[in-house]
Amino acid sequence: MPRNLFIFCLLLIANCISGSEDSEFCVKPDGVEVESKKCLATSNFSKKRYILYDVNPPEGFNLRRDVYVRVAVFVKKLLEENGEFDWNLVLPPWGNLYHWRSKNIGSQVGLPWGLFFDVSSLRKYIPVLEMYDFMKEYPSIGGEISLDIVYVLQNDEEMFKTGKFKDKNEIADCAKGKVRYEKIGKNKFTGNFWGYLNITARDVKCLTFQGTTSGLTKNLQPIFRSVVFDHMEIALHDFYGSKDYWTARRSMRYNQELYEIANEFRKNKLNSADLSDKTERPTDWKKEKGRRSALGGSYLALHLRRRDFLIGRSESVPTIENAALQLKKKLEELKLKTIFVATDAENEEYEELKKYLEDYIITKFIPSEYVRNKFKDGGIAIIDQIICSYARYFIGTHESTFTFRIQEDREIIGFPSNTTFNRLCGKEKKCSQGGKWEIVW
Ligand code: GFB
């Protein structure tokens, strides 16, 4: 039997058995006449396939952005190598993040990607759609969407104990207490589907997984039209730091209004503008070319990560006084007078830093009520990141993914890398600057 017909038969059987009343599930491929008990095939079979994903709840905004790049590269490869289906990535709404604690700015759940990113830019890399668009176009019964399968990725604890890692992809028992899905009927699981109560799944399987995202291709059986990978942070980058990685990363332009707010601040408070700073960029990221000639505004930008880093990573985080000493030295060397501070620090710590640096101009972005209410904590974080990414010199916080995303943006804009891969030293005896993840064009 030809492969396509075999796949079609599987699909037909699966969908008719599952009892879907939606005609999209019971149709035929081009030129094939099929009749079955429950459904009469009459129109072209849809080749659309949807990949959905979710991430471990405690993970922060900037690690989640990295997970997107992993999934985007995965989908890109599927489109290139597995062209019989039309693969689409559904963007998981943002929300309920541990660090997003601001009060009185409305709800911070179910936020669409378009609030933070330019979705049309993402689409120039792979087909993506917001969850609300997916929910409009995916077949539903009585307003309820039933996804075909959820794979819950879990680590192989043994590999973590022994430190010996090798690729693994095995259906396994679910780790106790870690699975957020519950069987409530035949072919019906409820769970935490991005907070939507009208989404369920036909099946949930736990997958002990070690390896890169492309290892998940084998779990995409043709009968599954919608596949969710939960704990997608467990799958590693296929080509970390490669051209593919950077192309996907370059497609992550921000919402245009966030650039406008950041640019207004640069102009008014930091005397910084693209023409004089040599940071002009084409509107279309695909037209961008590699360079190392960006100059940046005449300010030093600092990402000063505090709060949970003071506890979890106290060794690599300096005291405010010590941070001020390090900054002074650098400002003198660079002959700069202005510092832009992006921070999650309490205001007292920021004031303390200002006190130690009285001879310098120190500024931070203070959002208006409009910006707070519209763009919320995620948008304000991005504005801080944009302003840091246009500075003459950047100093970040060791191992903060917030810092990493700024470094990537600076690589894309085209700064000499010695102005980017710098960090504040903490209390460690040896303060290494960490890896330089330079862009590949
Ligand atoms: O983004 P993120 O994962 O970076 O988490 P790390 C830090 C969050 O704190 C950001 C806020 O998403 C912001 O909401 N934040 C931190 C800031 N720095 C700034 C800043 O300069 N400006 C603004 N506006 N907001 C990881 C966490 O944080 O650190 C993990 O994701 C864990 O859950 C680990 O806590 C220790 O990589 O810095």
Side-chain angles (χ1 to χ4, degrees):
M1 184 187 284
R3 189 161 172 258
N4 278 352
L5 189 58
F6 173 68
I7 290 168
F8 166 71
C9 289
L10 282 178
L11 273 161
L12 193 73
I13 293 162
N15 288 316
C16 291
I17 288 173
S18 72
S20 165
E21 285 160 30
D22 195 290
S23 64
E24 274 210 71
F25 280 111
C26 293
V27 291
K28 61 170 188 170
D30 291 344
V32 181
E33 292 290 332
V34 185
E35 271 185 56
S36 83
K37 233 181 184 180
K38 262 203 148 183
C39 58
L40 182 65
T42 49
S43 59
N44 287 345
F45 182 73
S46 169
K47 293 187 167 193
K48 247 185 164 177
R49 292 289 177 277
Y50 299 92
I51 307 274
L52 302 95
Y53 73 97
D54 207 347
V55 174
N56 189 23
E59 301 298 350
F61 188 40
N62 287 290
L63 179 101
R64 286 165 188 266
R65 286 176 53 186
D66 187 62
V67 174
Y68 170 81
V69 176
R70 297 177 212 182
V71 185
V73 173
F74 171 52
V75 172
K76 182 81 174 170
K77 293 287 157 203
L78 282 177
L79 286 159
E80 285 168 0
E81 290 162 15
N82 216 319
E84 75 194 275
F85 294 114
D86 170 13
W87 301 98
N88 290 269
L89 178 62
V90 182
L91 300 167
W94 298 98
N96 259 338
L97 298 197
Y98 165 78
H99 300 94
W100 291 358
R101 291 190 200 164
S102 293
K103 299 265 181 308
N104 309 320
I105 57 169
S107 159
Q108 299 210 64
V109 298
L111 306 177
W113 277 59
L115 188 65
F116 304 133
F117 299 97
D118 178 6
V119 176
S120 63
S121 280
L122 300 178
R123 281 202 191 111
K124 286 181 187 157
Y125 184 64
I126 51 156
V128 296
L129 70 167
E130 296 271 15
M131 184 64 79
Y132 58 78
D133 284 328
F134 168 75
M135 290 173 79
K136 270 188 246 157
E137 75 178 47
Y138 198 76
S140 64
I141 298 169
E144 191 178 301
I145 285 179
S146 173
L147 302 171
D148 288 329
I149 188 157
V150 178
Y151 289 110
V152 184
L153 274 56
Q154 53 190 28
N155 285 314
D156 184 321
E157 296 304 335
E158 201 49 37
M159 289 191 205
F160 278 83
K161 268 188 222 149
T162 59
K164 288 184 188 146
F165 293 93
K166 59 177 194 310
D167 284 2
K168 191 169 193 176
N169 180 341
E170 273 175 27
I171 302 289
D173 290 339
C174 298
K176 255 198 185 146
K178 290 208 175 155
V179 176
R180 15 180 208 165
Y181 306 93
E182 191 191 344
K183 187 164 184 167
I184 54 162
K186 191 165 175 273
N187 299 329
K188 192 164 182 175
F189 288 76
T190 54
N192 194 331
F193 293 100
W194 311 274
Y196 292 99
L197 299 176
N198 60 336
I199 301 184
T200 58
R202 291 201 175 98
D203 200 2
V204 174
K205 289 206 184 314
C206 287
L207 202 64
T208 304
F209 189 82
Q210 174 65 38
T212 63
T213 47
S214 59
L216 294 168
T217 310
K218 78 170 203 192
N219 306 91
L220 300 172
Q221 294 171 30
I223 54 163
F224 301 142
R225 215 174 143 185
S226 50
V227 178
V228 185
F229 293 106
D230 193 1
H231 281 271
M232 193 53 158
E233 76 285 351
I234 288 180
L236 305 171
H237 279 284
D238 261 315
F239 310 97
Y240 187 63
S242 66
K243 193 172 172 209
D244 290 301
Y245 169 88
W246 281 102
T247 309
R249 178 62 180 82
R250 287 197 294 121
S251 74
M252 293 187 87
R253 289 270 182 106
Y254 304 116
N255 175 327
Q256 185 53 32
E257 200 181 337
L258 296 174
Y259 283 114
E260 283 159 18
I261 297 164
N263 288 349
E264 196 61 18
F265 183 88
R266 284 170 59 208
K267 187 172 103 193
N268 296 335
K269 304 277 180 184
L270 299 163
N271 196 23
S272 158
D274 287 337
L275 189 61
S276 51
D277 296 354
K278 300 194 170 111
T279 49
E280 284 181 302
R281 303 166 76 183
T283 320
D284 181 350
W285 63 267
K286 289 190 124 177
K287 299 205 171 106
E288 219 156 26
K289 294 207 166 60
R291 58 173 180 173
R292 289 279 175 202
S293 54
L295 179 63
S298 59
Y299 59 97
L300 180 153
L302 168 70
H303 174 228
L304 183 67
R305 181 78 161 82
R306 306 301 280 181
R307 297 200 189 231
D308 46 338
F309 265 48
L310 290 172
I311 305 153
R313 294 166 194 230
S314 58
E315 273 300 291
S316 57
V317 176
T319 61
I320 295 292
E321 186 177 8
N322 187 267
L325 278 174
Q326 295 179 51
L327 289 166
K328 244 185 204 169
K329 206 168 148 216
K330 198 39 94 177
L331 287 159
E332 276 163 25
E333 186 189 313
L334 298 167
K335 302 197 174 16
L336 290 175
K337 281 269 160 217
T338 308
I339 311 180
F340 171 77
V341 182
T343 189
D344 60 341
E346 300 288 352
N347 207 41
E348 297 87 76
E349 284 185 309
Y350 176 67
E351 290 302 325
E352 190 188 344
L353 184 73
K354 277 173 83 171
K355 203 181 76 198
Y356 290 124
L357 292 165
E358 271 173 350
D359 298 338
Y360 297 89
I361 300 161
I362 303 192
T363 183
K364 68 175 177 177
F365 174 73
I366 299 170
S368 64
E369 276 303 293
Y370 164 78
V371 171
R372 276 164 46 81
N373 281 298
K374 179 161 183 189
F375 292 107
K376 309 184 189 288
D377 287 332
I380 296 163
I382 289 176
I383 295 168
D384 268 347
Q385 287 177 310
I386 297 173
I387 301 169
C388 287
S389 69
Y390 282 93
R392 181 98 20 113
Y393 196 89
F394 173 68
I395 301 182
T397 295
H398 188 50
E399 288 182 347
S400 162
T401 55
F402 190 104
T403 282
F404 294 160
R405 301 291 88 85
I406 295 168
Q407 292 174 332
E408 289 164 358
D409 281 332
R410 292 177 62 85
E411 282 293 286
I412 295 167
I413 295 168
F415 284 94
S417 61
N418 65 336
T419 69
T420 292
F421 295 98
N422 310 292
R423 58 166 280 213
L424 283 178
C425 291
K427 303 167 196 98
E428 321 98 310
K429 283 200 186 91
K430 196 167 167 276
C431 173
S432 89
Q433 287 299 306
K436 275 191 183 180
W437 298 105
E438 293 186 1
I439 192 163
V440 177
W441 289 90

